[in-house]
Amino acid sequence: MHSPSPRSLVDLPIRRLNRGDLVSCADLCEDRGWPRDEHRWGLLLSAGTGYGIDAPDGKGLAATCLTTPYGSDLTAVGMLLVAGRYGRQGLARRLMRHVMDAVGDSPLALYATEQGRPLYEGLGFSPVGRAERVGGRFGAPRPDGSPSTAPSRASMTTRPAAADDLQAMVRLDLPVFGADRTHLLARLPAFSDRLQVAEDHGELVGYAALWPSGHAAVVGPLVARDTATAQALISALAGTTDRPLRADVDGRHKELLGWLTEHGLEPLSWTTVMTYGLSDLPGDGARRFSPLTVATG
């Protein structure tokens, strides 16, 4: 049987994804060498909107893309994936154009791999930052490591999040991301293996989630008033799992990245933060250490 021509591929219909597509979405991740992450797909499909193109050979999905609204002023784009057998035939561009039309005037933000960046630049996205992915076994500082941060304040403590912490988390998150993300944060307790908060004299000053991805445990989102608070949250989460840790850290947080390296994590990859329709990500980058997920393409 002949493979579809590029023209017929580009003419394939785009449809909304739903939870019935979880296995096909995970298969597509695996096809591209990513963890299957059905767990993460479930969260993103419930909190946002998924778009897909069915594979013309009847074997699952040929391409996917997800959008997650951050309030009414920003839409995050992720999980833009094309099956290897249908690569370089215009599907990614077509899907992105469809998504851009679907969200209307909403500005967009995404994390682009080196391979995907030319596509986004061609669609009008601009680079505004960088995210560094690190991973490995979290342990005691290496002998050659020197303390990179002053100890956290004695009055600051961390503990597992409780149900009545959600409002305080939303209040902390709003200025950090510049958008109301209640619909995402409300799903974190069920999504996470562990959700940890940091307090200082009764005030919530940080939070972080730990969730499973393949053989690793992922830290994210991570919001904290300063590096010491972020370190305390990561240390607390690391103590609850035997899996290797993985984190995507905003590239401006060199101090935290250095500390993670001292504790056994190593650089794995990086992505470029890109925006469309605004000059930079909104909010307070100084307190935004790690997003929920950076997967795009």
Side-chain angles (χ1 to χ4, degrees), residues 257-273:
L257 284 163
W259 179 83
L260 288 168
T261 300
E262 291 166 12
H263 284 264
L265 274 62
E266 298 179 351
L268 299 177
S269 60
W270 58 274
T271 50
T272 302
V273 187

Side-chain angles (χ1 to χ4, degrees), residues 68-112:
T68 307
Y70 282 12
S72 57
D73 299 323
L74 180 66
T75 298
V77 180
M79 307 304 270
L80 180 64
L81 290 166
V82 176
R85 62 192 185 281
Y86 297 121
R88 300 189 177 278
Q89 299 184 59
L91 288 188
R93 180 177 296 274
R94 174 157 180 255
L95 206 46
M96 273 301 298
R97 287 196 180 280
H98 181 87
V99 165
M100 294 169 77
D101 288 342
V103 301
D105 295 330
S106 173
L108 302 172
L110 55 77
Y111 292 78

Side-chain angles (χ1 to χ4, degrees), residues 34-40 133 191 193 210-219 243-246 293:
W34 293 10
R36 289 184 60 85
D37 273 349
E38 286 179 47
H39 186 58
R40 177 169 54 170
R133 175 168 290 186
F191 172 74
D193 284 344
L210 187 76
W211 49 275
S213 174
H215 299 297
V218 179
V219 176
R243 296 183 177 201
L245 282 193
R246 195 175 81 224
T293 174

Side-chain angles (χ1 to χ4, degrees), residues 142-176:
R142 293 173 176 172
D144 58 345
S146 56
S148 55
T149 302
S152 58
R153 301 173 207 184
S155 55
M156 195 271 290
T157 58
T158 81
R159 60 170 174 79
D164 56 3
D165 289 319
L166 179 61
Q167 287 186 327
M169 287 172 57
V170 170
R171 284 196 299 271
L172 177 67
D173 191 84
L174 184 60
V176 173

Side-chain angles (χ1 to χ4, degrees), residues 39 187-196 208-212 220-221 292:
H39 186 58
R187 289 173 167 86
L188 278 183
F191 172 74
S192 309
D193 284 344
R194 183 72 171 244
L195 184 59
Q196 196 84 359
L210 187 76
W211 49 275
L292 171 64

